[in-house]
Amino acid sequence: MKISFTINNNKVTLDVDPSMRLLDVIRNELHLTGTKEGCGEGECGACTVLVKGEPVNSCLTPIINVADRDVMTIEGLRETKEYRIIADAFADRGGSQCGFCTPGMILVTYALLKKNPHPSEEEIRFALSGNLCRCTGYQAIIDAVKVASEKGIKL
Amino acid sequence: MKKFDTSVTKVDNEEKMAGLAIFTGDIRMDNAYFAINVRSEKAHAKLKGIEVPKLPKNYYFISAKDIVKENVVNIIASDWPVFADKKVNYIGETIGLIIGPDKEKCIDLSKQVKGIYEDLEPVFDMRNSYVHKEFTKGDVSLFKDAAKVFSEEFTTGYQEQIYLEPQAMLMYLENDQIVVKASMQCPFYIHKAICRTLGVTEDKVRVIQPAVGGAFGGKEHYPSLMAAQLATAIVKIKKPIKMFFDRREDITYTTKRHPSKTEISAYMDKKDNIIGVKIHVGIDGGAYIGCSMVVLSRALIAATNTYTFPNVAISGDAYCTNKVPSAAFRGFGSPQSIFAMELFINHLADYLKVDRMALRMKYLVKTNDVTSTSGIFRDPIILEPLIEKAMEMSDYKRKVKLYSKPGSLRGIGLSMFLHGCGFTGSGESDLIKAKLRIKKDKNGIVTFYTSQVDFGQGNRTTLKRIVVDTLGIPEDHVIYGAPDTNETLSTGPTAASRTIIIVGGLAAKAAQHLKAIWKDGEEQEIVEPYVGPSYIKWDEATMQGDAYPGYAWGVNVVEVSVNPITYEATVEGCWSTYDVGHAIDERILLGQADGGLAQALGWAYLEKEVAEDGMFKQKALADYAIPTSMDLPPMETEIIDNPFKYGAFGAKGAGELTFVGGAPAFALALEQAIKHKVHNIPATPEYIMELMNHED
Ligand code: FES
Ligand code: FES
């Protein structure tokens, strides 16, 4: 079946099984490997992408669900100036260790700050709670979100 | 928020944040075949045969019959077969691989492969010891004159790794070599494992490290098994092969932290002075020994923790059970025995009716004390300032009084602990024999190589910085890449908290030598061998002498509240102080501190993994919960400088230390909150309920 959607501001049309996981389309068809698979069951958030600006687990999303929608992966976000601010904040606080969770964490941070530019610590913890990190203990990531928020990015 | 004056930008930051870092699964190789494990359904049985369906063209079944030279995985004990042969010893043991071009087809075929079994009696509890160790210090015959004896028993559970990237390996043939790219910790372990099972020379194998998504010990030995299996296949099939685990396969069948049971007795004279302690640590090693004897060693050496007792009898066993083998995991045995000792000494104080902290301070280890293995703690010990600082940060003294009131449902606990850095005893000089190569080209560009893998700890940044600072040249004049066994000499495994203390020291020395002979415009190269401090004398057979080249120290304070309706514990605060010698990069160090403590707290109360009839009940992240951002409170950490003579810029190890104290600090806090003694972890709501409804 032919399915069209926008990925990182580029329109694509693919002939794929409509039940195919968005994650597989992104990684195997479009060869965008910044989106990771940590569990395949909606539990870890490594596969996070933004669909219409909202974080979703691409491992649980059939490709048909994003037909005619906007999908953003880390490859798209990294071209923006907001990314630079968030990435610098992550670097400043040490928010990335092994890096496997990091693209997902950065996308979630972007989505959060866009909606809520000055979140409280609790709101940050809540927003990140679907994204597991086994390396950092979260503190550095939370501090990074605060730093990005303080930089006052008008997202 | 703290400013990191001592920190530099991590060399791999940008590629990781931007999603540009290439992990094994990101490497594009469209013609690669897939390898799917066919696993034993039996915990213990004779394997009388294997029925394989008729395989379509380009599909293969690879098993013990295809072994080229030796059916053994090169791990410390050579007892784990590459493929089960004639016998299976745990549910999930690989009896063969189905390999072919289409993954779904491989999975389908793998389900049609049938092992023919004859059941044997499985053993799941700790009764069959396959490694026993014991040693004493002082005169243990004095124990029989004791006026009082106090004994207790403690248990700890399994822990699953949950590195965020599951196990992954890609193997292909290139330039007459077998090339491996994998999520790994120890490139040369994989290299050796392939050479050994195939009986080929070292030049026939090349191991290259891509980005690694977390490891913690779980990628120290397991990838050697995968590599030996794939190598057996590739010499026959001659096609690139991928073996990628999904999370379920990773949780169910890869190595875990050893469950433990520790018994401790203290012997007191008439004045309640401790004559000595007797400790037995039992660990569940699973079906094969693998590295369990070394885990046991570390557990035993650490068993008296930060206390000096005049007379000590320590023994331990690793037990063979028909379950997935247990293996390396951050801390490597010492978290288990230190958990027991930290609780025990507090309980002993209650038994003797003395103040808990006073008893601990009375026996606190001091510089030049004799260790449990009759070595000496030579380097200055600064535990007292570490304890004081942690108490001050956490407001411990006030809170410990406040929460002691009945019904407080809140508690605070303080643990102190140590971690020996590097391999046990003279292992660094005798077994590992690290060699580091550093060279400079005509333009003054310096390249150096180590076999250390950066799986998030930041060692690519720290090791580079050691060389840059020693040479005093600009950062972009130094090139330090990921390990590739064609270029790199082995500087040993990325394990045992040895990277900074041992390899860092070696890198600094090599750079100093290069600096001393530096000639502009010339190509120069140095191979620097590791030379250990000469005072280290160790006898592995008797477990006597100096167990480690150096020790790192820490204090954790954890505050806990308990919900009396749900019996759930919540961690309300964490404060830590550490002596890691000198922290070369504070930001990297704090990352280790937070991450290690978070894992330890998970082990203490959230992460429950149990096997029933040899099968793990928790198979997915949905039923094996690790801490999320909502489970943890803000963490505060302070580092007290205490430069170590033999480390680069005074640094000791830190990666494992930060795991060791979380569980006992949590358990001590929980005890205070519920006014009942804790002996077992994980302290799940069921366990807390049981304790609270039970009269002590
Ligand atoms: S891979 Fe999608 S949530 Fe884990
Ligand atoms: S940095 Fe490794 S999982 Fe988050």
Side-chain angles (χ1 to χ4, degrees):
Chain A
M1 179 173 159
K2 283 214 158 61
I3 297 174
S4 305
F5 61 101
T6 308
I7 182 128
N8 304 328
N9 298 324
N10 298 314
K11 193 145 187 212
V12 289
T13 302
L14 297 171
D15 195 1
V16 288
D17 178 344
S19 68
M20 194 166 175
R21 305 187 306 170
L22 175 58
L23 175 62
D24 293 332
V25 173
I26 291 170
R27 287 183 56 87
N28 303 339
E29 307 293 320
L30 303 172
H31 304 295
L32 299 172
T33 53
T35 309
K36 307 296 177 194
E37 175 161 3
C39 72
E41 301 189 348
E43 296 289 340
C44 77
C47 65
T48 302
V49 300
L50 303 182
V51 177
K52 290 173 52 190
E54 287 292 325
V56 302
N57 290 328
S58 63
C59 70
L60 292 184
T61 309
I63 183 69
I64 186 77
N65 286 16
V66 301
D68 304 322
R69 301 210 160 148
D70 279 337
V71 178
M72 171 134 76
T73 68
I74 191 70
E75 287 85 355
L77 185 67
R78 75 179 176 223
E79 303 301 327
T80 65
K81 56 180 189 307
E82 290 89 344
Y83 165 79
R84 201 58 270 152
I85 294 167
I86 297 171
D88 287 347
F90 268 65
D92 176 37
R93 300 329 297 171
S96 173
Q97 286 189 31
C98 80
F100 206 74
C101 71
T102 310
M105 290 288 185
I106 288 187
L107 284 160
V108 170
T109 302
Y110 171 80
L112 168 70
L113 294 182
K114 190 134 206 171
K115 259 207 230 147
N116 179 359
H118 298 290
S120 65
E121 163 125 9
E122 245 179 88
E123 287 169 326
I124 298 172
R125 286 188 182 269
F126 182 74
L128 297 178
S129 62
N131 290 60
L132 296 179
C133 174
R134 190 59 150 170
C135 300
T136 62
Y138 306 102
Q139 188 63 52
I141 298 176
I142 287 152
D143 290 348
V145 179
K146 285 186 199 160
V147 168
S149 151
E150 277 159 23
K151 290 264 151 72
I153 6 169
K154 304 277 172 293
L155 288 171
Chain B
M1 255 179 258
K2 211 184 214 119
K3 287 216 15 217
F4 297 113
D5 303 326
T6 64
S7 303
V8 297
T9 305
K10 270 175 64 179
V11 296
D12 52 355
N13 247 342
E14 189 56 31
E15 63 193 50
K16 283 183 168 167
M17 292 189 291
L20 290 165
I22 300 297
F23 294 83
T24 306
D26 303 334
I27 299 166
R28 197 165 166 194
M29 196 167 275
D30 292 341
N31 61 340
Y33 282 13
F34 293 87
I36 302 293
N37 276 264
V38 181
R39 298 181 178 279
S40 164
E41 292 154 25
K42 302 282 184 181
H44 196 202
K46 283 189 187 160
L47 180 61
K48 316 242 1 165
I50 303 173
E51 276 174 17
V52 183
K54 199 172 148 24
L55 297 173
K57 191 165 173 267
N58 294 332
Y59 285 82
Y60 301 84
F61 179 70
I62 303 291
S63 66
K65 66 177 189 334
D66 299 295
I67 287 293
V68 180
K69 174 99 189 288
E70 252 190 295
N71 190 9
V72 63
V73 188
N74 193 69
I75 305 176
I76 305 169
S78 295
D79 67 334
W80 195 341
V82 180
F83 295 103
D85 190 17
K86 300 193 181 71
K87 202 167 163 237
V88 291
N89 288 307
Y90 68 94
I91 294 177
E93 184 167 6
T94 305
I95 62 171
L97 299 176
I98 287 282
I99 297 176
D102 183 75
K103 189 174 168 192
E104 294 310 314
K105 180 92 195 154
C106 288
I107 294 173
D108 188 47
L109 287 167
S110 71
K111 289 184 182 143
Q112 298 171 41
V113 178
K114 288 273 168 283
I116 305 162
Y117 300 105
E118 184 183 309
D119 283 326
L120 296 167
E121 190 65 37
V123 172
F124 300 125
D125 56 5
M126 295 201 241
R127 69 172 103 133
N128 293 342
S129 168
Y130 50 25
V131 183
H132 176 82
K133 288 181 189 282
E134 57 179 62
F135 53 94
T136 60
K137 166 182 146 183
D139 182 0
V140 297
S141 71
L142 297 172
F143 292 178
K144 64 180 186 317
D145 306 327
K148 281 182 191 165
V149 183
F150 176 71
S151 306
E152 281 193 305
E153 189 181 300
F154 302 89
T155 69
T156 64
Y158 275 110
Q159 185 177 27
E160 194 48 51
Q161 295 272 343
I162 318 289
Y163 27 63
L164 214 60
E165 176 202 27
Q167 301 278 356
M169 183 170 286
L170 171 67
M171 190 179 282
Y172 54 92
L173 302 171
E174 190 177 75
N175 300 331
D176 201 24
Q177 280 188 309
I178 293 174
V179 184
V180 185
K181 291 182 176 165
S183 192
M184 65 172 102
Q185 255 173 277
C186 309
F188 281 93
Y189 280 6
I190 292 177
H191 193 269
K192 266 211 185 93
I194 294 174
C195 291
R196 181 160 175 195
T197 191
L198 296 183
V200 297
T201 49
E202 287 177 7
D203 57 320
K204 294 288 182 242
V205 180
R206 176 178 187 186
V207 182
I208 305 170
Q209 183 232 307
V212 175
F216 318 118
K219 293 170 183 170
E220 190 171 334
H221 297 296
Y222 199 86
S224 297
L225 170 67
M226 298 164 73
Q229 293 171 342
L230 288 186
T232 306
I234 208 163
V235 293
K236 188 162 171 186
I237 301 175
K238 302 197 165 51
K239 282 268 191 251
I241 312 173
K242 296 174 175 173
M243 191 192 281
F244 293 162
F245 286 3
D246 64 16
R247 181 60 62 186
R248 279 179 184 258
E249 188 167 20
D250 199 298
I251 291 183
T252 322
Y253 302 120
T254 67
T255 56
K256 302 156 203 325
R257 183 182 299 283
H258 293 74
S260 73
K261 185 168 107 179
T262 301
E263 296 148 275
I264 312 181
S265 298
Y267 300 85
M268 275 69 61
D269 66 14
K270 288 199 198 76
K271 291 184 177 146
D272 284 354
N273 293 310
I274 300 174
I275 303 168
V277 295
K278 186 163 122 192
I279 305 172
H280 180 272
V281 184
I283 57 172
D284 183 343
Y288 297 110
I289 300 174
C291 64
S292 285
M293 69 286 229
V294 191
V295 173
L296 181 66
S297 277
R298 202 176 257 279
L300 298 183
I301 293 164
T304 48
N305 193 23
T306 51
Y307 308 104
T308 299
F309 305 110
N311 306 296
V312 174
I314 296 178
S315 63
D317 290 275
Y319 295 98
C320 178
T321 58
N322 291 107
K323 291 183 287 186
V324 172
S326 308
F329 198 156
R330 202 177 203 165
F332 213 70
S334 71
Q336 288 93 322
S337 60
I338 286 178
F339 168 76
M341 178 50 75
E342 274 302 82
L343 288 168
F344 178 81
I345 193 149
N346 282 281
H347 298 175
L348 177 63
D350 295 355
Y351 169 79
L352 296 174
K353 301 198 173 58
V354 295
D355 179 71
R356 285 181 160 199
M357 197 53 78
L359 185 75
R360 294 163 83 183
M361 298 309 278
K362 182 172 167 193
Y363 292 94
L364 196 71
V365 57
K366 299 195 177 47
T367 314
N368 290 325
D369 273 2
V370 176
T371 69
S372 64
T373 57
S374 307
I376 293 171
F377 285 112
R378 290 187 169 77
D379 301 300
I381 294 175
I382 56 162
L383 259 177
E384 283 180 41
L386 289 176
I387 294 167
E388 248 154 61
K389 182 82 201 166
M391 283 183 167
E392 178 195 311
M393 286 159 67
S394 59
D395 196 7
Y396 179 85
K397 287 184 182 151
R398 185 184 66 84
K399 287 178 180 169
V400 83
K401 262 206 204 103
L402 182 68
Y403 302 153
S404 66
K405 301 207 175 89
S408 68
L409 291 172
R410 215 169 162 108
I412 191 161
L414 180 149
S415 67
M416 39 187 116
F417 46 92
L418 79 175
H419 195 76
C421 305
F423 267 58
T424 313
S426 45
E428 291 293 346
S429 327
D430 299 347
L431 294 175
I432 307 284
K433 299 184 187 136
K435 279 197 190 75
L436 187 140
R437 188 143 64 101
I438 188 164
K439 59 185 191 191
K440 141 177 165 307
D441 69 11
K442 289 194 183 101
N443 303 319
I445 301 296
V446 172
T447 308
F448 77 103
Y449 306 92
T450 77
S451 54
Q452 266 40 63
V453 174
D454 192 335
F455 40 87
Q457 336 83 303
N459 57 30
R460 255 176 84 188
T461 306
T462 311
L463 289 173
K464 179 170 177 181
R465 181 151 170 211
I466 288 171
V467 170
V468 169
D469 288 1
T470 307
L471 288 171
I473 58 177
E475 214 191 309
D476 58 359
H477 288 203
V478 175
I479 299 171
Y480 172 47
D484 170 346
T485 58
N486 274 12
E487 295 289 344
T488 311
L489 298 171
S490 179
T491 49
T494 314
S497 299
R498 61 184 294 283
T499 295
I500 297 307
I501 194 170
I502 304 289
V503 185
L506 189 56
K509 235 177 165 184
Q512 277 158 14
H513 284 170
L514 180 62
K515 195 173 177 179
I517 60 161
W518 187 285
K519 285 210 181 78
D520 282 329
E522 261 182 45
E523 278 180 24
Q524 292 175 290
E525 179 171 323
I526 285 178
V527 172
E528 185 76 36
Y530 174 76
V531 184
S534 56
Y535 60 78
I536 295 288
K537 296 273 179 288
W538 175 252
D539 182 347
E540 182 68 32
T542 57
M543 303 277 286
Q544 293 295 299
D546 282 302
Y548 303 105
Y551 298 83
W553 306 83
V555 174
N556 288 162
V557 179
V558 170
E559 187 171 341
V560 166
S561 69
V562 173
N563 179 324
I565 319 267
T566 61
Y567 299 102
E568 273 169 332
T570 303
V571 179
E572 303 284 355
C574 299
W575 302 267
S576 307
T577 52
Y578 293 106
D579 161 14
V580 293
H582 172 70
I584 295 179
D585 189 309
E586 210 182 344
R587 176 168 55 210
I588 286 179
L589 212 116
L590 291 187
Q592 290 296 300
D594 294 346
L597 183 54
Q599 277 179 1
L601 292 171
W603 182 53
Y605 82 113
L606 289 174
E607 300 179 28
K608 185 176 167 113
E609 187 170 37
V610 284
E612 216 173 72
D613 297 329
M615 186 65 186
F616 289 96
K617 289 195 355 201
Q618 291 72 20
K619 294 187 173 64
L621 278 175
D623 40 43
Y624 184 83
I626 67 163
T628 71
S629 52
M630 303 279 279
D631 294 316
L632 299 170
M635 297 178 178
E636 254 181 72
T637 304
E638 291 287 340
I639 290 155
I640 300 185
D641 216 44
N642 184 21
F644 175 63
K645 291 212 269 278
Y646 294 95
F649 300 106
K652 302 189 271 200
E656 293 178 283
L657 175 73
T658 58
F659 183 92
V660 179
F666 173 91
L668 290 167
L670 177 62
E671 288 192 338
Q672 195 183 32
I674 62 174
K675 313 287 181 279
H676 288 271
K677 291 199 165 58
V678 172
H679 293 93
N680 310 310
I681 52 167
T684 57
E686 297 75 43
Y687 178 60
I688 295 173
M689 178 173 83
E690 196 184 297
L691 288 176
M692 288 178 80
N693 295 330
H694 176 270
E695 293 301 312
D696 252 359

